């Protein structure tokens, strides 16, 4: 008798059955799962058929304009605006988050007010404000505060459309980045910092080796979501006549009338950029999961190799 079960248990009763050797394990059946799978497969097939057979999609012109020179330049400008907005925005957001967490009343109040203002005003209004800053200040001077100015520059010469767009995106993003960074820092158990301080670990090392690696697990998913949102949000700068992707698509289809084809071109490029960012997000999250997960999630290549090995093993049987 096995030590895993008591005498007279269900296992003993089944084992003593005369037809025990002939008993078969019947897998559970899920008819509604099969029905749902079939329904989704039919809907996907219908959608694919409509995309392929409907001539109004203009797939021929989509392929023609997908790598058009002006489209590629517009994609590059979109990426440039995204990088400037994210880098400057998260640098500013990190400073604001540290101000909120500093405990100094003045710094906390200034940071909170900044976040409140820039989250309250729509991005398009902020861009228009910076674009028209010369109406308020014709010249920008640099010198002693409340004293003489050493250098004076015309606002129109200093803040052009690209600078205004980058500044507006960065300042807008900084308000959201501040809350993301603050939430990540607050997610770390304060007891760990107290223990590190009791052991004599310097404050800088506490931030680098204890707070940051754990905070990044909270920061990365939300920050990646903000980056993807900013990629699409750069389309708002069309009001400045900057030739980013959406603006350039509008210019082309207003000229040749291929509205659907050019909108599909923009859609495909936005999907390519966001897909690359999603892959990067996966690997960054995987890197910072080392301290919390016993087994790291497999990469796509590891999944393919495992699936191939399982298929080969099945054939050998």
């Amino acid at each position: 008798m096995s030590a895993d079960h008591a005498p007279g248990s269900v296992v003993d009763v089944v084992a003593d059955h005369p037809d025990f050797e002939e008993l078969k394990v019947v897998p559970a059946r899920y008819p509604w799962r099969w029905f749902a799978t079939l329904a989704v497969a039919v809907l996907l097939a219908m959608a694919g058929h409509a995309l392929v057979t409907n001539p109004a999609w203009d797939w021929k012109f989509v392929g023609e304009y997908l790598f058009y020179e002006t489209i590629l330049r517009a994609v590059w400008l979109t990426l440039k605006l995204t990088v400037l907005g994210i880098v400057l925005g998260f640098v500013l957001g990190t400073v604001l988050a540290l101000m909120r967490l500093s405990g100094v009343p003045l710094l906390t109040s200034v940071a909170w007010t900044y976040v409140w203002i820039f989250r309250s005003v729509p991005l398009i209004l902020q861009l228009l404000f910076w674009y028209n800053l010369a109406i308020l200040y014709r010249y920008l001077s640099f010198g002693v505060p409340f004293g003489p100015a050493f250098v004076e520059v015309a606002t129109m010469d200093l803040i052009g459309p690209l600078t205004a767009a980058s500044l507006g995106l960065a300042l807008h993003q900084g308000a959201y980045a501040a809350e993301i960074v603050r939430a990540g820092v607050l997610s770390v158990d304060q007891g760990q910092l107290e223990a590190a301080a009791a052991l004599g670990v310097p404050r800088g090392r506490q931030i680098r080796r204890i707070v940051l690696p754990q905070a990044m697990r909270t920061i990365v998913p939300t920050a990646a979501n903000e980056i993807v949102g900013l990629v699409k949000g750069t389309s708002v700068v069309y009001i400045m006549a900057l030739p980013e992707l959406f603006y350039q698509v509008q210019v082309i289809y207003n000229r040749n009338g291929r509205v659907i084809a050019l909108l599909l071109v923009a859609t495909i490029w936005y999907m390519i950029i966001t897909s690359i960012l999603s892959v990067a997000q996966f690997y960054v999250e995987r890197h910072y999961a080392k301290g919390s997960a016993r087994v790291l999630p497999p990469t796509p290549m590891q999944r393919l190799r495992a699936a191939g090995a399982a298929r080969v093993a099945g054939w050998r049987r």
Side-chain angles (χ1 to χ4, degrees):
M1 182 178 63
S2 173
D4 296 336
H5 57 273
S9 64
V10 176
V11 177
D12 289 328
V13 173
V14 174
D16 293 338
H17 195 278
D19 298 329
F20 175 70
E21 298 295 335
E22 300 179 3
L23 292 177
K24 296 182 180 179
V25 177
V26 179
R29 293 180 174 85
Y30 303 97
W32 286 108
R33 290 186 183 179
W34 287 102
F35 176 77
T37 302
L38 179 62
V40 172
V42 171
L43 292 175
L44 289 175
M46 292 173 62
H49 182 267
L51 286 174
V52 173
T53 59
N54 190 344
W57 289 104
D58 276 344
W59 289 109
K60 176 184 176 181
F61 290 95
V62 172
E64 180 180 341
Y65 285 100
L66 188 61
F67 297 101
Y68 205 57
E69 183 180 356
T70 55
I71 293 294
L72 293 179
R73 287 201 298 266
V75 171
W76 171 244
L77 180 58
T78 298
L79 292 174
K80 185 188 297 185
L81 289 172
T82 302
V83 171
L84 288 173
I86 285 298
V87 172
L88 297 177
F90 269 88
V91 170
L92 176 61
T94 302
V95 174
L96 291 170
L98 294 177
M99 291 171 63
R100 286 285 302 274
L101 297 170
S102 65
V104 180
L106 178 61
L107 298 181
T108 302
S109 301
V110 169
W112 183 90
T113 304
Y114 179 95
V115 172
W116 169 62
I117 292 175
F118 280 87
R119 288 201 305 181
S120 301
V121 181
L123 175 59
I124 191 169
L125 293 182
Q126 297 180 38
L127 292 173
L128 287 172
F129 173 81
W130 293 111
Y131 186 61
N132 296 285
L133 186 62
I135 299 176
L136 291 174
Y137 304 100
R138 295 184 60 187
Y139 297 95
L140 296 177
S141 58
F142 302 91
V144 178
F146 307 105
F150 302 136
V151 179
E152 196 173 65
V153 183
T155 305
M156 291 292 294
D157 297 334
L158 185 63
I159 302 181
L162 181 60
T163 304
S166 302
L167 189 61
L169 292 172
L171 294 176
H172 176 78
Q173 195 62 43
Y176 293 91
E179 293 300 285
I180 293 172
V181 174
R182 188 172 69 92
V185 173
L186 292 177
S187 68
V188 180
D189 186 5
Q190 295 300 309
Q192 299 186 39
L193 297 179
E194 295 173 0
L199 293 173
V201 179
R203 182 64 179 176
R205 186 175 296 179
Q206 292 179 28
I207 300 297
R208 294 193 309 271
R209 304 301 297 271
I210 299 175
V211 175
L212 185 60
Q214 297 182 75
M216 288 297 288
R217 291 199 293 269
T218 302
I219 293 173
V220 169
T222 313
N225 195 46
E226 285 294 318
I227 295 173
V228 170
L230 187 59
V231 171
K232 297 173 289 185
T234 54
S235 60
V236 181
V237 303
Y238 79 91
I239 59 173
M240 301 178 176
L242 283 174
E244 51 80 40
L245 182 56
F246 182 65
Y247 178 85
Q248 196 61 51
V249 160
Q250 287 181 304
V251 170
I252 296 175
Y253 74 58
N254 285 330
R255 188 171 63 242
N256 62 14
R258 302 287 181 177
V259 179
I260 298 299
L262 270 301
L263 289 178
L264 281 173
V265 168
T267 300
I268 291 171
W269 274 114
Y270 281 125
M271 292 180 68
I272 291 173
I273 296 171
T274 54
S275 298
I276 294 173
L277 292 174
S278 298
V279 172
Q281 175 188 352
F282 169 80
Y283 281 99
V284 174
E285 286 185 0
R286 189 174 185 272
H287 172 75
Y288 285 105
K290 292 178 180 179
S292 61
R294 294 177 181 270
V295 179
L296 294 178
T299 64
M301 291 303 299
Q302 290 174 341
R303 292 179 180 177
L304 288 176
R305 286 197 295 266
R311 183 64 61 84
V312 171
W315 288 341
R316 289 178 178 176
R317 292 177 183 175

